[in-house]
Amino acid sequence: MQWRNLLKKNINSISALPPALQPDNEEAARVVTRYPMRINPYYLSLIRKKQDPIWKQAVPDIQELNDTVCMADPLGEEHLSPVPNLVHKYPDRALFLVTSQCAMYCRFCTRKRKVGTKSMVISQDTIEAGLDYLKKTPAVRDVLVSGGDPLLLDDDYLDWLLASLRAIPSIEIIRIGTRAPCTLPMRITTRLVKVLKRYHPLYINTHFNHPLEITEESSRACTRLADAGIPLGCQTVLLRGVNDQPEIIQELLRKLLMIRVKPYYLFQGDMTRGTNHFRTSIECGLDIMRSIIGHMSGLAVPTYAVDAPGGGGKIPLTPNYIKEFGEKLVFSNYCGLTCSYDNQRTENRGQKTEK
Ligand SMILES: *Cc1c(COP(=O)(O)O)cnc(C)c1O
Ligand code: SF4
C-alpha cells in the first residue's frame, strides 16, 4: 500500500487499538491529550503482544504523566535556537527542524514537548528563516535535517528543500535524520530515492532500537538507500524494558550491518519529561559496550553517548580499560587480560598537539 494511504489508517487513540493491545491501566487514554499518539498500520503489525519491545515504544503509558524527575527541554534546544526550529549548538553543524510530523510517535522521544503537537510551529516562514540563517552562517558545514521526520514531507517539497540547502556554498554535507526506514519503510520509494541521490554528499541517520524492527520491508528500504550511494547510520536509544540487555543490542548491531546500516550512536536516554520510565543506569550502557567492544566487528560498535543536560552536547562514554597511567600504561583488554604499554611521555610531549 502507498505510504500516504497507510498514514490515513493511523491509530491515534487507545480505544482505536485492538482490545488485546490496550494498556491495562484505563487512565492511559488521558496521556494522548498531552502527548500525541500515532501508530501506523505497518508499525502496528510488528507488535506481537502487549508489553513487547515494539508495543512499549508506541503505546502510551500512564507513567508519562507522572514524571516528576525530567525536564521539558533537557538539551536546552530552545535557548540554542537563533531562529525557531534551528538549533546551532556546535560550531560547524546545525540541526534544522523541518516538520513536526512522524510516522509513529515514539513514547521516549527527546522532543516529546513538541513533536506532533500544536506547539511545534513549522511554516514556510520558519523554513525560510532557517535557510537565511544558514546562508549568513558559513561556519555551518553540516546541516542535520530533522524534526519530526523529514521524510514525512512530500517528494517535491523535499526536492525544493534539499536544492535550497545545496544552493548554499558553505554547506558541505547534508544529513537527514529519519525513522521512516524503521517505522514506515514503504516511504522509501524509488521516486524518493531518485530525489535524494541528486543532493550528494547526503547522509542518512536512521533509528532502529530492536532486532524485531529489522524486517523484509525495512531491509528493502535500506538497500534502496544504500544502493543510491547514501551512507546509512543508526542512532539507537537505550530503553529500559526494550533493549537494555547485551544480547538484544548485539543482535541489533549485527542485523544493522547486514542491511548496510552502520551503528553510529547508542544514546543514553535524555532526561525528557514523560520518559523517565524508559531511562536506564549509565552502568547498564557501559556493561553493554563492554560486551560489544572487541567481541564483535569494530564496524558494529557505536559511540555510547549521553547528551549533556543544559545543552553541553554529546559526551562519549567508554568503559574504562585503563588501570594505571604513567611511565607505563597498564590496561585490561576486552577479555579482562592485563596488558601494558611503555609510555613515551617525556620525548613526545608537545611535539604534535601543543605549541
Ligand atoms: C546531535 C546533534 C548534532 C550532530 O552531532 P554529531 O555528533 O555530529 O552527530 C548537531 N546539532 C545538535 C543540536 C545535535 O543535538
Ligand atoms: S521518530 Fe524521532 S522525532 Fe519522531 S517521535 Fe520518534 S524519536 Fe521523536
Side-chain angles (χ1 to χ4, degrees), residues 150-203:
L151 295 192
L152 261 80
L153 297 170
D154 284 328
D155 294 352
D156 292 343
Y157 192 82
L158 273 171
D159 199 0
W160 171 81
L161 182 67
L162 295 171
S164 309
L165 288 169
R166 265 289 159 247
I168 303 172
S170 43
I171 296 176
E172 295 174 354
I173 294 174
I174 299 174
R175 258 201 268 184
I176 297 178
T178 172
R179 233 198 142 180
C182 170
T183 54
L184 189 67
M186 33 304 277
R187 172 63 185 104
I188 315 303
T189 58
T190 45
R191 185 162 186 270
L192 171 71
V193 171
K194 220 181 257 172
V195 170
L196 297 178
K197 71 189 282 193
R198 303 210 334 247
Y199 299 101
H200 277 309
L202 180 114
Y203 288 67

Side-chain angles (χ1 to χ4, degrees), residues 234 249 253 262-266 289 292 298-304:
C234 182
I249 294 285
L253 300 176
K262 165 82 184 81
Y264 179 65
Y265 277 129
L266 172 65
M289 289 308 291
I292 296 167
L299 286 173
V301 182
T303 299
Y304 175 43

Side-chain angles (χ1 to χ4, degrees), residues 4 12 14 26 38 40 69 74-75 97 99 101 108 129 182 232 235 238 251 258-259 262 299 308 314-315 334:
R4 278 281 174 209
N12 304 310
I14 298 280
E26 284 171 16
R38 174 182 281 183
N40 71 62
V69 176
L75 307 180
L97 309 181
T99 171
Q101 304 290 301
F108 52 83
C182 170
L232 302 173
Q235 309 198 159
L238 197 54
E251 187 187 348
M258 291 298 289
I259 60 170
K262 165 82 184 81
L299 286 173
K314 297 177 183 75
I315 315 294
Y334 72 103

Side-chain angles (χ1 to χ4, degrees), residues 34-53:
R34 173 130 170 227
Y35 301 117
M37 167 182 185
R38 174 182 281 183
I39 311 178
N40 71 62
Y42 167 78
Y43 202 75
L44 183 74
S45 76
L46 302 186
I47 299 178
R48 301 204 283 204
K49 57 180 195 296
K50 216 160 31 178
Q51 299 293 341
D52 82 8

Side-chain angles (χ1 to χ4, degrees), residues 208 214 232-236 246-267 288-304:
F208 288 84
I214 300 182
L232 302 173
C234 182
Q235 309 198 159
T236 297
E247 306 73 39
I248 295 177
I249 294 285
Q250 287 163 11
E251 187 187 348
L252 174 67
L253 300 176
R254 271 199 310 274
K255 290 198 161 157
L256 285 170
L257 287 184
M258 291 298 289
I259 60 170
R260 286 190 280 166
V261 177
K262 165 82 184 81
Y264 179 65
Y265 277 129
L266 172 65
F267 282 125
I288 289 173
M289 289 308 291
R290 205 179 265 287
S291 81
I292 296 167
I293 296 171
H295 296 275
M296 295 180 70
S297 163
L299 286 173
V301 182
T303 299
Y304 175 43

Side-chain angles (χ1 to χ4, degrees), residues 32-286:
V32 302
T33 60
R34 173 130 170 227
Y35 301 117
M37 167 182 185
R38 174 182 281 183
I39 311 178
N40 71 62
Y42 167 78
Y43 202 75
L44 183 74
S45 76
L46 302 186
I47 299 178
R48 301 204 283 204
K49 57 180 195 296
K50 216 160 31 178
Q51 299 293 341
D52 82 8
I54 306 293
W55 186 92
K56 282 183 183 165
Q57 292 186 65
V59 177
D61 187 308
I62 189 66
Q63 294 179 90
E64 295 174 42
L65 298 180
N66 302 336
D67 179 0
T68 54
V69 176
C70 297
M71 302 161 269
D73 178 19
L75 307 180
E77 291 189 334
E78 303 299 343
H79 77 82
L80 289 165
S81 297
V83 297
N85 302 313
L86 187 141
V87 187
H88 192 182
K89 180 188 286 192
Y90 300 105
D92 70 338
R93 48 217 194 275
L95 178 67
F96 190 12
L97 309 181
V98 298
T99 171
S100 65
Q101 304 290 301
C102 299
M104 189 276 278
Y105 293 127
C106 312
R107 307 322 302 171
F108 52 83
C109 179
T110 286
R111 290 187 201 102
K112 204 174 168 78
R113 68 182 183 281
K114 61 181 192 178
V115 162
T117 75
K118 289 197 183 75
S119 72
M120 190 165 184
V121 182
I122 292 177
S123 61
Q124 191 57 23
D125 284 351
T126 70
I127 301 249
E128 279 175 16
L131 289 169
D132 254 3
Y133 178 81
L134 294 169
K135 251 176 245 166
K136 287 188 308 210
T137 318
V140 174
R141 285 193 262 253
D142 173 356
V143 176
L144 226 154
V145 181
S146 183
D149 194 324
L151 295 192
L152 261 80
L153 297 170
D154 284 328
D155 294 352
D156 292 343
Y157 192 82
L158 273 171
D159 199 0
W160 171 81
L161 182 67
L162 295 171
S164 309
L165 288 169
R166 265 289 159 247
I168 303 172
S170 43
I171 296 176
E172 295 174 354
I173 294 174
I174 299 174
R175 258 201 268 184
I176 297 178
T178 172
R179 233 198 142 180
C182 170
T183 54
L184 189 67
M186 33 304 277
R187 172 63 185 104
I188 315 303
T189 58
T190 45
R191 185 162 186 270
L192 171 71
V193 171
K194 220 181 257 172
V195 170
L196 297 178
K197 71 189 282 193
R198 303 210 334 247
Y199 299 101
H200 277 309
L202 180 114
Y203 288 67
I204 286 184
N205 267 351
T206 185
H207 175 170
F208 288 84
N209 291 328
H210 195 279
L212 284 174
E213 292 171 339
I214 300 182
T215 61
E216 230 172 88
E217 289 91 341
S218 62
S219 163
R220 196 176 314 133
C222 292
T223 298
R224 270 188 190 162
L225 293 167
D227 283 351
I230 302 172
L232 302 173
C234 182
Q235 309 198 159
T236 297
V237 187
L238 197 54
L239 298 167
R240 191 157 103 206
V242 174
N243 60 10
D244 56 343
Q245 289 171 38
E247 306 73 39
I248 295 177
I249 294 285
Q250 287 163 11
E251 187 187 348
L252 174 67
L253 300 176
R254 271 199 310 274
K255 290 198 161 157
L256 285 170
L257 287 184
M258 291 298 289
I259 60 170
R260 286 190 280 166
V261 177
K262 165 82 184 81
Y264 179 65
Y265 277 129
L266 172 65
F267 282 125
Q268 177 64 17
D270 288 328
M271 293 191 65
T272 300
R273 185 170 299 146
T275 69
N276 196 44
H277 58 294
F278 281 114
R279 291 198 309 133
T280 59
S281 67
I282 302 270
E283 286 85 346
C284 166
L286 288 172

